[in-house]
């Protein structure tokens, strides 16, 4: 088998324009999943009656299956029912009109929610109990305690896991190629379809993923240093 | 009617009764020191007074605000919390805020004071505990004594009617204890009403108007520091004081290998 370095470079240049699509799906999923994960973690941390148990069951169900399965189930449910539901709601929308990246975002958001809710819950546990006593003795409400004490103190602890989740989401976006979203992975595959140099194409895709991961890790490291500067002894 | 009236506070944990009915009346400006061995319920008692711990029954009246601990009433509970302030063992400052932000947090968020007025009051309170030059430091950048003085400033800034101190010096290195006790003494002399749980006998002797000795969830004995330290009436008080001063080792177990 001959190895075509030139073709790797060609494919790299060809798939760079799809980096924004991949980043868009990953970042939006991180934000949605992060927000949902925060709510789940809070419900479980404060042991909200009923809600806490429902969340625990939901997380267990989602955590126990591969992402691709979640993704395909979402695809099957939405593709069969969307048109009927849209008609019932009086929307002039067809399933085909929806951007397929939306499906990927739903699936990846669920994955992010599961992972981040656990990360946040662990980070919440790291906040010392006396902090809640102090907030209460000042007369702060539960909402104020969450916003001003719990989340700001838990965030630096959860931050490395949030970054890790972003990297996992970027790699997870490759799954969107299953429903014909053109992102890094499917662009690389398409590039090789004419000359069957799949090996080179996959290497090219890997190079892009590596570059993105390295850049994110560098950036995260810098942010971590900034976060640690003022509270270094408090969070160690 | 006294300034603070505490009646019949009971508290059990997991079926074990920790407080077996505590009564206490305090006049305005009085400083009460509570002594007692560990497990005697003194910290639990203090935590019940500002509802950090929910007492099973009992009642407290501070400056015309009455709270029955058995009744669930969030508004009433909040009124009580705002009448009290607590200084914790180990500073309990918020590590994500500077010293000044810590002090004004309650003023701005809870009392809804305008930010500049809160800053003014915060700076004044911090200079009273000798931290005027540390206001923009983070707690992690301060010594233990400075952290605890900032904790006192945070409690004071809320302008409570009753100050609660839960062993404020017991987590400190010995050489840092003095500065914290000095700050507390200054508050006592300024006429604040205080309940202090501590093991600092010298402080109790010099600053307290009344000393309570607690053991097994009851107040065994109370009186002026001179009376309690020099002529303790109850055998339990005598034994406790003797253990502390090292006069009597007959009670302490001999370590055998």
């Amino acid at each position: 088998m001959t190895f075509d370095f030139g073709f790797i470079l060609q494919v790299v240049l060809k798939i760079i324009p799809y980096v924004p699509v991949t980043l868009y799906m990953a970042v939006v999923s991180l934000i949605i999943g992060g927000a949902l994960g925060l709510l789940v973690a809070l419900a479980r941390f404060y042991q909200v009656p009923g809600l806490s148990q429902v969340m625990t069951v939901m997380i267990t169900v989602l955590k126990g299956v591969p992402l691709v399965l979640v993704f395909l189930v979402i695809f099957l449910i939405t593709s069969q029912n969307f048109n009927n539901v849209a008609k019932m709601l009086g929307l002039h929308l067809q399933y085909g009109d929806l951007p397929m990246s939306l499906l990927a975002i739903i699936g990846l958001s669920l994955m992010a929610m599961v992972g981040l809710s656990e990360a946040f819950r662990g980070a919440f546990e790291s906040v010392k109990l006396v902090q809640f006593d102090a907030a209460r003795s000042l007369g702060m409400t539960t909402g104020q305690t969450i916003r001003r004490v719990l989340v700001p103190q838990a965030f630096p602890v959860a931050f490395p896991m949030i970054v890790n989740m972003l990297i996992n989401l970027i790699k997870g976006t490759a799954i969107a190629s299953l429903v014909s979203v053109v992102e890094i992975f499917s662009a690389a595959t398409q590039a090789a379809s004419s000359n069957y140099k799949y090996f080179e194409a996959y290497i090219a895709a890997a190079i892009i993923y590596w570059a993105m991961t390295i850049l994110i890790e560098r950036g995260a490291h810098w942010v971590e240093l900034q976060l640690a500067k003022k509270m270094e002894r408090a969070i160690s | 009617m006294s300034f603070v009236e505490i009646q019949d506070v009971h508290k059990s944990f997991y079926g074990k009764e920790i407080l077996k009915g505590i009564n206490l009346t305090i006049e305005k400006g009085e400083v009460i020191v509570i002594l007692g061995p560990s497990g005697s319920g003194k910290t639990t008692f203090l935590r019940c007074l500002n509802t950090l711990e929910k007492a099973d029954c009992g009642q407290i009246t501070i400056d015309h605000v009455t709270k029955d601990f058995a009744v669930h009433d969030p508004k009433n509970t909040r009124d009580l919390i705002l009448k009290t302030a607590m200084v914790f063992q180990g500073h309990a400052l918020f590590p994500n805020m500077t010293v000044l932000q810590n002090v004004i947090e309650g003023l701005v968020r809870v009392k809804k004071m305008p930010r500049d007025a809160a800053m003014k009051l915060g700076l004044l309170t911090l200079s009273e505990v000798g931290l005027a030059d540390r206001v923009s430091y983070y707690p992690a950048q301060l010594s233990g004594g400075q952290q605890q003085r900032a904790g006192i400033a945070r409690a004071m800034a809320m302008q409570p009617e009753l100050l609660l101190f839960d062993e404020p010096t017991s987590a400190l290195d010995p050489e840092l204890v003095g500065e914290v006790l000095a700050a507390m003494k200054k508050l006592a002399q300024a006429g604040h009403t205080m309940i202090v749980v501590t093991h600092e006998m010298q402080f109790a002797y010099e600053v307290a108007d009344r000393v309570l000795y607690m053991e097994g969830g009851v107040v065994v004995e109370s009186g002026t520091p001179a009376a309690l330290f020099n002529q303790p009436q109850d055998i339990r008080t005598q034994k406790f004081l003797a253990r502390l001063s090292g006069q009597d080792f007959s009670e302490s177990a001999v370590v055998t290998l």
Side-chain angles (χ1 to χ4, degrees):
Chain A
M1 190 171 105
T2 55
F3 194 72
D4 189 345
F5 281 105
F7 187 62
I8 292 183
L9 193 65
Q10 268 181 34
V11 178
V12 166
L13 292 177
K14 213 175 226 171
I15 60 184
I16 280 178
Y18 296 100
V19 169
V21 179
T22 295
L23 276 180
Y24 158 75
M25 288 191 291
V27 170
V28 170
S29 304
L30 186 76
I31 292 168
I32 296 173
L36 293 173
L38 187 63
L39 293 178
V40 172
L42 283 172
R44 294 177 75 183
F45 186 73
Y46 280 97
Q47 293 172 352
V48 181
L51 200 61
S52 169
Q53 286 84 349
V54 172
M55 298 296 185
T56 307
V57 171
M58 185 181 71
I59 294 294
T60 308
V61 167
L62 285 172
K63 199 161 64 173
V65 289
L67 176 62
V68 63
L69 197 148
V70 175
F71 192 66
L72 290 173
V73 166
I74 293 169
F75 177 70
L76 286 176
I77 292 174
T78 52
S79 62
Q80 286 171 9
N81 301 308
F82 183 83
N83 289 349
N84 297 335
V85 174
K87 204 181 258 172
M88 258 165 52
L89 294 173
L91 297 170
H92 297 286
L93 267 178
Q94 291 290 308
Y95 190 61
D97 301 340
L98 293 178
M100 281 298 119
S101 57
L102 197 64
L103 277 187
I105 287 173
I106 295 172
L108 291 170
S109 295
L110 287 176
M111 165 183 156
M113 179 189 77
V114 171
L116 291 177
S117 76
E118 298 287 31
F120 289 142
R121 205 159 62 100
F124 289 169
E125 300 289 344
S126 77
V127 177
K128 294 193 180 70
L129 286 177
V130 73
Q131 293 286 320
F132 299 97
D133 286 348
R136 189 182 158 102
S137 78
L138 287 176
M140 291 166 79
T141 61
T142 306
Q144 286 172 333
T145 307
I146 291 171
R147 278 200 310 280
R148 303 285 302 169
V149 179
L150 179 61
V151 171
Q153 290 184 33
F155 183 73
V157 179
F159 185 74
M161 287 172 276
I162 296 173
V163 173
N164 202 29
M165 180 53 73
L166 178 61
I167 291 170
N168 280 335
L169 287 170
I170 285 176
K171 292 184 288 185
T173 54
I175 224 164
S177 60
L178 285 180
V179 284
S180 68
V181 178
V182 185
E183 40 66 66
I184 293 174
F185 184 71
S186 51
T189 316
Q190 279 169 24
S193 58
S194 56
N195 58 4
Y196 298 102
K197 288 184 175 169
Y198 282 105
F199 186 66
E200 284 86 344
Y202 292 151
I203 297 280
I207 288 170
I208 296 290
Y209 285 120
W210 277 325
M212 290 167 81
T213 308
I214 289 168
L215 280 178
I216 288 167
E217 283 198 324
R218 279 289 154 85
H221 186 65
W222 183 83
V223 173
E224 258 173 71
L225 284 180
Q226 303 306 309
L227 287 174
K229 244 180 205 166
K230 52 184 188 185
M231 301 183 16
E232 50 203 356
R233 272 178 22 200
I235 61 166
S236 62
Chain B
M1 190 175 167
S2 296
F3 188 61
V4 179
E5 287 199 8
I6 301 158
Q7 283 160 14
D8 202 30
V9 178
H10 284 261
K11 175 70 185 171
S12 298
F13 285 113
Y14 308 109
K16 187 171 186 294
E17 200 169 24
I18 302 297
L19 297 178
K20 297 170 182 168
I22 310 279
N23 296 290
L24 182 60
T25 57
I26 309 171
E27 301 303 329
K28 193 169 173 64
E30 219 181 348
V31 177
I32 308 283
V33 166
I34 304 180
L35 301 175
S38 63
S40 58
K42 35 189 208 312
T43 291
T44 304
F45 174 58
L46 217 56
R47 289 172 62 87
C48 282
L49 297 187
N50 66 351
T51 70
L52 281 181
E53 222 60 83
K54 192 186 171 304
D56 300 331
C57 69
Q59 174 176 314
I60 182 170
T61 304
I62 301 177
D63 188 27
H64 309 297
V65 169
T66 299
K67 163 79 187 164
D68 186 332
F69 292 124
V71 178
H72 178 74
D73 179 352
K75 163 104 183 36
N76 187 214
T77 303
R78 201 176 149 75
D79 290 341
L80 171 68
I81 287 173
L82 289 178
K83 289 281 175 197
T84 64
M86 191 150 185
V87 177
F88 296 87
Q89 177 183 13
H91 62 87
L93 293 171
F94 303 128
N96 52 315
M97 302 177 197
T98 65
V99 169
L100 183 60
Q101 285 170 340
N102 262 284
V103 173
I104 68 171
E105 181 69 13
L107 298 174
V108 175
R109 307 276 155 181
V110 179
K111 291 199 162 176
K112 309 291 181 198
M113 194 183 271
R115 183 164 281 273
D116 46 348
M119 298 258 273
K120 220 169 166 184
L121 179 57
L123 288 169
L124 183 72
T125 319
L126 280 165
S127 66
E128 273 170 17
V129 295
L131 289 175
D133 56 341
R134 292 285 186 276
V135 294
S136 52
Y137 282 51
Y138 282 89
Q141 297 163 332
L142 300 182
S143 74
Q146 289 169 336
Q147 288 170 343
Q148 197 53 289
R149 281 187 283 147
I152 292 173
R154 182 173 66 178
M156 286 308 303
M158 294 300 282
Q159 297 169 316
E161 300 295 343
L162 176 64
L163 267 168
L164 308 168
F165 292 83
D166 181 16
E167 304 197 25
T169 57
S170 55
L172 293 177
D173 291 338
E175 78 270 21
L176 302 174
V177 169
E179 58 186 88
V180 174
L181 292 180
M184 289 165 63
K185 196 170 174 179
K186 207 168 143 191
L187 293 179
Q189 285 161 350
H192 292 286
T193 314
M194 297 161 55
I195 303 180
V196 184
V197 169
T198 186
H199 293 294
E200 297 292 335
M201 294 300 147
Q202 190 65 32
F203 175 82
Y205 200 86
E206 286 174 14
V207 181
D209 296 304
R210 203 152 26 115
V211 178
L212 267 62
Y213 176 71
M214 275 180 77
E215 190 175 322
V218 293
V219 177
V220 171
E221 191 171 347
S222 75
T224 62
L228 194 111
F229 287 134
N230 298 330
Q231 284 117 27
Q233 300 299 309
D234 196 283
I235 183 79
R236 287 168 289 181
T237 320
Q238 290 167 6
K239 279 186 176 170
F240 177 75
L241 291 172
R243 276 204 304 277
L244 277 181
S245 60
Q247 286 166 1
D248 180 5
F249 287 100
S250 61
E251 282 294 304
S252 56
V254 176
V255 178
T256 49
L257 294 171

